[in-house]
Amino acid sequence: MDIDAETARNLSLFRPLGYQRNSCGYCKSDDGSASYYTSSVSVRPNHYELLVNRGWRRSGTLYYKPNLQRTCCPHYTIRLDAAAFKPRKDQRQAINRWTKFVLGPEYLRRAAYLCPRTREQKNRRRCHFDLLPAVHEAEYANVPRPIDPRTKRPLEPAHRFEVNLEGDSISQAKFDLFRKYQTTVHKEDLSKWQSKDFKRFLCSGLKRSPADPKSSEKKLGSWHQCYRLDGKLIAVAVLDLMPSGVSSVYIFYDPEYEAWEFGKLSAMREIALALEGQYQYYYMGYYIHSCQKMRYKATFQPQYVLDPESYTWDPLAGELATKLDQRPYVSLSRDRRIADGTAPEAEAEADADGEINDEEMSLFDVRMPGVLTREEVQALDLDHWLLLVHGSFVHMIDLVGWERMPLDHPQSVKGIVAELAATLGPEVVPNSAVVLFD
């Protein structure tokens, strides 16, 4: 069938890979991690935002939605309202330490003499921390350079620090920095990462717009925020910019600067980017309560956690954090339904059948939290979902034998398509197409 070019451009394409168990990268359990997977080289930023708000994340072209109830280390989606962010003392200190390093003691001493602050400015700086001025203070374009009467030349900082938002493309400098980071910080073998692997992991993201990074138009898609010191690339933050949120994908930096806490610096700069670009939320990826390395994310407050069943947002602090201390899987919406007696019996008892072989079952029988039911998927009209075959679009119902295929058989074409629809959700399905055949 023919669809117009505009419709085709606005579709996201998904190749279903199915429900799988893998070893856990956190507690090292052999098959403790369970997720539904799909791949794509064509996802629109607005569609990805819908997926993120249903518990999805991506790693390059691989998209995955964990089954939090059947995973040893449940991955919870968290987000921060950028305008409500209140930096802690250690976070403020990290920015101030970096600024002092970049400017240098000689510059600070001479600048204080040549450009003395007023009493009001000193009081405000002592009593208030303004995030936006603070994160940009050390950038070379913002550093005051008064004429020094001793040298008759502009006063220069100790270092020239610059930050630019660039397309998520590969360069030799990025690749070399990435390999240095992976081998030094994560102790990985150098042979694990070739340029094609780096490109697949960090340069194969969402469709990007506008084409010109200097455009004032709101930026969407996948970008690299590059940090340079004296012209040398020292850090790269990989970001997905969605209509309402800045999503942190990965950061890698020169291990020589590890003492400067680039995790904190980049997070606060990305919150500032959200504020300046009018993105309401900042997403720090997944939060694993049982993983000590993840606990730092909770220090960026106030954090909210996506309920895996209702897709509502609950404050991490308080009731939710207390329950996560007691058990790995928590859905406050389910707890409330059980408490008030409105939860179906099967739902209330779902935690008891943890020994099933879920890889061989239909996803509808696994009872994966937040996945559509059979009845909800049937209501999506799968018959007219688009299928991309050799560059042309057809409807599912055009497939031979489609009407006779069982919806809940994980090995049938309809079963594969139905599980993909159940995980993508009712908003993404009508705006997407499926790729099953090369």
Side-chain angles (χ1 to χ4, degrees):
M1 63 174 291
D2 293 327
I3 63 173
D4 62 85
E6 183 67 18
T7 299
R9 277 196 300 271
N10 290 325
L11 290 173
S12 289
L13 305 178
F14 296 98
R15 181 187 298 275
L17 301 177
Y19 183 85
Q20 301 173 27
R21 281 198 167 275
N22 292 290
S23 60
C24 177
Y26 297 93
C27 72
K28 309 305 179 184
S29 170
D30 288 341
D31 62 350
S33 176
S35 297
Y36 181 88
Y37 295 90
T38 183
S39 65
S40 179
V41 294
S42 180
V43 174
R44 308 301 161 185
N46 57 320
H47 298 157
Y48 184 58
E49 182 170 273
L50 293 169
L51 293 178
V52 168
N53 291 335
R54 291 180 67 85
W56 287 80
R57 293 290 290 178
R58 72 173 189 88
S59 175
T61 58
L62 182 68
Y63 293 73
Y64 55 101
K65 176 179 170 60
N67 183 346
L68 275 66
Q69 195 170 20
R70 300 194 181 281
T71 292
C72 50
C73 301
H75 298 37
Y76 292 89
T77 299
I78 60 173
R79 78 179 183 189
L80 171 76
D81 189 327
F85 173 57
K86 303 296 182 186
R88 300 194 327 174
K89 182 179 179 180
D90 62 302
Q91 294 160 354
R92 299 194 301 268
Q93 288 175 334
I95 288 183
N96 293 334
R97 285 180 61 240
W98 177 251
T99 297
K100 289 179 180 178
F101 165 72
V102 171
L103 299 181
E106 177 63 17
Y107 173 89
L108 290 170
R109 185 180 66 82
R110 293 295 295 162
Y113 171 74
L114 297 171
C115 306
R117 292 191 176 98
T118 66
R119 180 176 297 176
E120 290 77 12
Q121 288 173 326
K122 290 179 180 178
N123 286 338
R124 178 169 181 80
R125 189 176 182 88
R126 187 163 44 245
C127 301
H128 299 277
F129 181 84
D130 295 326
L131 179 65
L132 298 185
V135 298
H136 296 303
E137 185 178 2
E139 293 174 17
Y140 189 73
N142 299 325
V143 175
R145 287 177 290 150
I147 299 298
D148 190 333
R150 299 180 310 175
T151 63
K152 311 299 184 192
R153 289 185 293 188
L155 185 64
E156 293 289 341
H159 301 283
R160 185 179 181 121
F161 178 56
E162 297 166 300
V163 181
N164 302 101
L165 196 62
E166 306 173 3
D168 64 337
S169 58
I170 189 173
S171 71
Q172 192 63 47
K174 291 177 185 177
F175 180 53
D176 291 344
L177 178 63
F178 175 78
R179 294 219 295 181
K180 184 178 182 181
Y181 174 81
Q182 295 297 124
T183 54
T184 304
V185 176
H186 293 295
K187 313 300 181 187
E188 292 183 345
D189 192 289
L190 194 65
S191 63
K192 179 180 178 179
W193 293 103
Q194 304 302 317
S195 60
K196 60 180 175 53
D197 304 307
F198 172 78
K199 186 175 182 180
R200 173 184 49 78
F201 180 36
L202 298 176
C203 305
S204 302
L206 311 177
K207 293 295 182 180
R208 190 172 61 250
S209 65
D212 182 3
K214 296 181 181 179
S215 170
S216 59
E217 182 184 346
K218 188 172 188 177
K219 293 176 176 58
L220 297 174
S222 296
W223 300 79
H224 287 170
Q225 193 165 54
C226 299
Y227 299 66
R228 291 180 173 86
L229 192 70
D230 300 326
K232 178 186 176 184
L233 186 69
I234 61 168
V236 177
V238 183
L239 305 175
D240 287 336
L241 302 184
M242 306 175 297
S244 299
V246 173
S247 177
S248 175
V249 178
Y250 201 70
I251 182 169
F252 55 96
Y253 53 83
D254 191 325
E256 294 176 18
Y257 297 91
E258 188 167 14
W260 299 105
E261 301 181 290
F262 264 88
K264 292 179 182 177
L265 294 177
S266 63
M268 285 184 284
R269 183 171 286 275
E270 287 153 24
I271 294 170
L273 174 63
L275 291 169
E276 293 166 332
Q278 297 184 320
Y279 308 92
Q280 183 175 358
Y281 300 110
Y282 175 52
Y283 295 80
M284 295 186 75
Y286 285 134
Y287 172 73
I288 302 175
H289 191 72
S290 60
C291 179
Q292 280 300 125
K293 290 183 179 179
M294 288 276 190
R295 290 294 182 96
Y296 80 95
K297 295 184 179 182
T299 67
F300 289 83
Q301 300 173 357
Q303 286 285 5
Y304 287 79
V305 176
L306 182 68
D307 187 293
E309 300 188 19
S310 65
Y311 295 137
T312 53
W313 297 89
D314 299 300
L316 174 57
E319 179 188 9
L320 181 57
T322 300
K323 290 188 174 182
L324 286 171
D325 285 337
Q326 299 166 355
R327 63 184 196 268
Y329 176 73
V330 176
S331 165
L332 291 185
S333 65
R334 173 186 287 195
D335 289 353
R336 293 175 189 128
R337 290 193 300 272
I338 294 174
D340 63 22
T342 61
E345 183 178 347
E347 180 179 84
E349 296 177 354
D351 292 330
D353 56 354
E355 299 302 319
I356 62 172
N357 187 349
D358 49 7
E359 279 190 300
E360 297 182 359
M361 299 171 61
S362 166
L363 197 62
F364 300 111
D365 296 322
V366 173
R367 292 203 289 260
M368 180 171 166
V371 168
L372 300 182
T373 65
R374 291 180 181 84
E375 293 72 25
E376 289 171 327
V377 169
Q378 288 171 332
L380 295 178
D381 186 18
L382 293 187
D383 291 351
H384 295 95
W385 198 5
L386 292 172
L387 176 67
L388 183 62
V389 182
H390 302 307
S392 298
F393 290 98
V394 299
H395 284 136
M396 295 293 175
I397 199 169
D398 296 329
L399 295 175
V400 175
W402 170 263
E403 292 178 287
R404 298 190 303 274
M405 294 178 191
L407 185 75
D408 54 2
H409 193 295
Q411 275 75 51
S412 74
V413 171
K414 184 180 282 189
I416 292 170
V417 169
E419 291 186 357
L420 175 63
T423 50
L424 293 180
E427 294 173 294
V428 173
V429 168
N431 297 292
S432 63
V434 183
V435 180
L436 286 177
F437 316 106
D438 292 324

